[in-house]
Each structure stands twice: as structure tokens, then as C-alpha cells.
């Protein structure tokens, strides 16, 4: 299995192009099932999860054309054209869904388009058991008959879906996306309350509207959908990845130096900006990006709780923790979204970090410097926190199991290497 080697202590200087958002691209790709016309998506990131989902959609009968794959165009992201002229199958098999939970999003669109969906339960993953009960609640509210059989969800609506009230007891990104797509082809009005408000949901909604859907209230907890008989093809550009941008914003803070995040706006890193300012980090916004400048000596005490948008995102929790390990002072992070998202703590401990965990609360005592060590990636965002720590650590860090990393960070060693980091991929 590939590993990444980082020799830390080098300040960073340069530009990093922020790719299209993984967590917007995935539901946008699934939206192609809602129409028999071509859906053209621009600025698609080069990620394992994207390839994985494309192979599932191909199995369902979607014609996929990918371009802009290599060379300078790679900077601009891939162009993906997906055409679900006919649906060849309404079954999403366990082999694929278990590896990537976002595959479960095909259930709503398949049900809306074909009146049937048979999708494997995703099962848990490293960060939590991650049920899909809210997805099923939404589909049942829209009139589907949902049964469970041999680990598969079977949803049926032979006479089509009907608009309804969907009251979510808690905000769920995926369940909101599933409901939004299914309701777009239901007969009549749907009112979704307590909808999640993440920007990726807004991006999906804007694409659905371009496809002919009638949606109001995007970006708010109350979304109204007037179902249409048919949706058409469209062209849509994926928004910049706020988690990638936040991650790379932390790189010059932990390692020192200055990085310009090309394609990001201050709004892209809105949740992080106040924390960085509290640590005397200099942020400046230009037309084509945001520049972050950090210096070696970092002092401060930070108390952050992860929350649904617009709160601090759980997907940046591990990365912020890596930074706080090197900030003089005592900081605290409380994780409220997932029940097991501190697996990076023992790995950071191997690098000399001083972190104690009590339930969902991690207390971090900043240390003068971290030391490089062999460490193991456990999940997507934990793996990049180890890379950040390696940039600051004295000596050599080897991150094992970086297949986790490749799921969500496009060409990370190229992007950081171009800014002066000593980082190489070691192929077995
Ligand atoms: C999305 O996952 C993201 N993934 C996650 O990013 C992100 O961490 C998460 O939203 C929260 O922001 C994609 O967009 C592909 P949720 P999702 O439904 O939709 C519970 C990454 O690193 N829940 O908002 O699965 C759930 O267990 C990934 O890129 C139910 O109880 O998240 C969790 O505790 C990791 N029942 C909470 O809600 C349900 O039916 C939030 O989950 C659904 C969710």
C-alpha cells in the first residue's frame, strides 16, 4: 500500500488551486438519474470517490464521458457528462455501497425515476455507525413502501412519489439531499423542515433548478419543492471545496510561510477565519483567491465545537487539532456530529502531541515542536491531519494507509510539494 513521507520544518510558499468540492460532486453526479438528458458537470475533482461513484452509475446504465483528465487541464478539474438515457438496473450492490456511503444517495432518484430502488445498507464506517433512518423516513413520507431484506433497503412507489411534509428531527446532509432529489420528481408540493444548510446542498439545489426543478429556500432549514413531471439536462460547475480550502489554509499556519488558495473566497473558509484571526494569522482576499500567512510562534487558547453548517465543520476537526498541537496554550475541541472521530489522537500522540480525550471532548496542550514518526491513517480527514502535523514536525513522518487520503484530497503531494514541502509518495 502507498505511503507518504514528509520531512518537516520547511516553511511553505506558493499557490494551491482549490478543487471542486467532493461532497458537492457526489450528489451532483447522482442527480443525473433524474433525467434522460445529458448532465454536464465542470470542475470535478480527481478523487477515488468520484471514480467509485462513476462505476456504480455505469452499472445502473448511465453513459459516462470524462474529459480534461491530464496535463494543465487537470488544474481546471475534470468535465464529466452523465446521461441516464435508460436505467438498466435499480440495484446498488453492497460491494460498492459499503466502500462509499454516498452511494446510498441513488435511492431517492432511482425511486423517483423508476418507482423502485434496491440499495444496500451502507453499514458503519470508522467514524461512526452512520444509520440511514432519516433517508428512509423521507422516502416513506413521499409515499414509498420501504422494506429491509438481507441488508438491502427495498423502496417501491409503483404509482410515483407524492409531495409531502418531511420534518427531520435533526439536520442530515445526505438525507436532505436524498429528499430534495426525490421530491423534485414527486407529484405536488414537498416541504422539508430542519433541512441541513451545508453549501454543497445549495450547489445541488441550484443544479436541480437548472434542470427544471422548482425549489425555494435553499440554504435555509425550510425548503419547498414543487415536483415536476420531468427534468432536463443541464451544465453545472461544482463549487470550490471548503474542506480542502480550510485544510490548506492551516498548512502555512502549522509550518510557517504563506499560501494563496486559488479559487477560494473568504466565504469558503468562513468557519475557520475567526479561529485563525484569534491566533494572529494574517488572511487577505484578492479577486482570484485568499492568502494565508503564518509564523512559527503560535500562542492562543481555542475552544471549538463541531456543529452543522454554519457551525464549525466536523470535516475540519482533525486538521484544526493538528494545528492546536503546536499552539502554546490549552485548547479544547468538542465533536458533536460523529461518535468516533478522534482516531487521529493516538497517531498525533506518537508525534509528541499532548492530547487527552474525555468522551466527545479533546483537550490539547500545545507543545514546542512535534517529532516525525511512522503513523497510520484511519479515515479521510484524520489522514490529512497527520500530513499537516508532519509538515511541522522535526524529522521524518511516514503516513501509512493513504488510500484514505486519496478519497478526498486530489494530488496532495503535488499541491504541497509545489509550495516547498518535502513530501513524496512511496509506492510499494
Ligand atoms: C456528509 O455525510 C458528508 N459526506 C460528511 O463528510 C460530513 O462529515 C457530514 O455530511 C456532516 O457534515 C458527504 O457529503 C458525502 P449527515 P452524511 O447525514 O450525509 C446522523 C467527509 O469526510 N444520521 O449529515 O452521511 C449521522 O450518523 C465526510 O467528506 C442519522 O442518525 O452526514 C451523523 O451522526 C465524512 N441518520 C449525523 O446524523 C441518518 O439517516 C450527521 O450525518 C443520517 C445521518
Amino acid at each position: 500500500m502507498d505511503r507518504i513521507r514528509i520531512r518537516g520544518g520547511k516553511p511553505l510558499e506558493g499557490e494551491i488551486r482549490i478543487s471542486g468540492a467532493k461532497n458537492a460532486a457526489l450528489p451532483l453526479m447522482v442527480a443525473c438519474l433524474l433525467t434522460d438528458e445529458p448532465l454536464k458537470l465542470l470542475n470535478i475533482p480527481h478523487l477515488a470517490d468520484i471514480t467509485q461513484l462513476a462505476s456504480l452509475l455505469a452499472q445502473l446504465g448511465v453513459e459516462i464521458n470524462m474529459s480534461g483528465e491530464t496535463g494543465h487541464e487537470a488544474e481546471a478539474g475534470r468535465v464529466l457528462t452523465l446521461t441516464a438515457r435508460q436505467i438498466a438496473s435499480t440495484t446498488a450492490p453492497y460491494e460498492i455501497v459499503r466502500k462509499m456511503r454516498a452511494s446510498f444517495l441513488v435511492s431517492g432518484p432511482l425511486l423517483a425515476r423508476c418507482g423502485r430502488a434496491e440499495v444496500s445498507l451502507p453499514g458503519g464506517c470508522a467514524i461512526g455507525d452512520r444509520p440511514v433512518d432519516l433517508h428512509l423516513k423521507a422516502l416513506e413520507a413521499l409515499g414509498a413502501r420501504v422494506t429491509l431484506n438481507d441488508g438491502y433497503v427495498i423502496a417501491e412507489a409503483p404509482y410515483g412519489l407524492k409531495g409531502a411534509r418531511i420534518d427531520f428531527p435533526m439536520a442530515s446532509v445526505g438525507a436532505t439531499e436524498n429528499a430534495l432529489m426525490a421530491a423534485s420528481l414527486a407529484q405536488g408540493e414537498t416541504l422539508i423542515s430542519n433541512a441541513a444548510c451545508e453549501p454543497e446542498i445549495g450547489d445541488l439545489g441550484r443544479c436541480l433548478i437548472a434542470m427544471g426543478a422548482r425549489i425555494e429556500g435553499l440554504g435555509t432549514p425550510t425548503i419547498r419543492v414543487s415536483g415536476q413531471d420531468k427534468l432536463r439536462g443541464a451544465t453545472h460547475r461544482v463549487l470550490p471545496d471548503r474542506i480542502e480550502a480550510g485544510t490548506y489554509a492551516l498548512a502555512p499556519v502549522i509550518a510557517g510561510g504563506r499560501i494563496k488558495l486559488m479559487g477560494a473566497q473568504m466565504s469558503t473558509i468562513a468557519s475557520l477565519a475567526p479561529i485563525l484571526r484569534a491566533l494572529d494569522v494574517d488572511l487577505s482576499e484578492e479577486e482570484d483567491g485568499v492568502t494565508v500567512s503564518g509564523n512559527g510562534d503560535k500562542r492562543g487558547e481555542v475552544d471549538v465545537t463541531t456543529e452543522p453548517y454554519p457551525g464549525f465543520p466536523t470535516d475540519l476537526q482533525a486538521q484544526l487539532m493538528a494545528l492546536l498541537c503546536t499552539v502554546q496554550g490549552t485548547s479544547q475541541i468538542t465533536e458533536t456530529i460523529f461518535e468516533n472521530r478522534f482516531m487521529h489522537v493516538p497517531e498525533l500522540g506518537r508525534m509528541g502531541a499532548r492530547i487527552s480525550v474525555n468522551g466527545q471532548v479533546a483537550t490539547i496542550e500545545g507543545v514546542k515542536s512535534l517529532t516525525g514518526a511512522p503513523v497510520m491513517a484511519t479515515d479521510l480527514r484524520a489522514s490529512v491531519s497527520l500530513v499537516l502535523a508532519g509538515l511541522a514536525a522535526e524529522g521524518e513522518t511516514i503516513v501509512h494507509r493513504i488510500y484514505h487520503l486519496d478519497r478526498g484530497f486530489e494530488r496532495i503531494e503535488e499541491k504541497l510539494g509545489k509550495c516547498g514541502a518535502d513530501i513524496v509518495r512511496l509506492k510499494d
Side-chain angles (χ1 to χ4, degrees), residues 22-23 26 101-102 127 129-135 170-175 177 198 314-315 337-339 341 380-381:
K22 165 180 85 82
N23 290 351
L26 294 170
R101 162 190 184 75
I127 63 178
D129 70 6
R130 301 183 74 181
V132 289
D133 56 316
L134 301 178
H135 296 245
M170 61 182 283
S172 159
V173 172
E177 290 166 341
E198 273 66 5
T314 175
D315 292 349
I337 306 293
F338 291 110
E339 60 270 31
R341 206 168 197 180
L380 167 56
R381 307 304 177 179

Side-chain angles (χ1 to χ4, degrees), residues 320-339:
L320 177 64
M321 190 182 291
L323 168 63
L324 296 176
C325 291
T326 67
V327 172
Q328 299 309 308
T330 302
S331 292
Q332 189 166 286
I333 293 181
T334 304
E335 170 60 55
T336 66
I337 306 293
F338 291 110
E339 60 270 31

Side-chain angles (χ1 to χ4, degrees), residues 254 279 298 300 302 317-333 344-356 362-371 385-386 388-390 392:
I254 198 167
L279 295 174
K298 300 177 287 293
V302 165
Q317 179 258 103
Q319 297 92 311
L320 177 64
M321 190 182 291
L323 168 63
L324 296 176
C325 291
T326 67
V327 172
Q328 299 309 308
T330 302
S331 292
Q332 189 166 286
I333 293 181
H344 39 288
V345 168
E347 299 306 307
L348 290 167
R350 290 174 49 72
M351 301 174 74
R354 296 226 309 265
I355 309 167
S356 59
T363 304
I364 305 110
E365 298 283 338
V367 294
K368 262 314 244 166
S369 70
L370 297 170
T371 47
S385 79
L386 302 175
L388 290 175

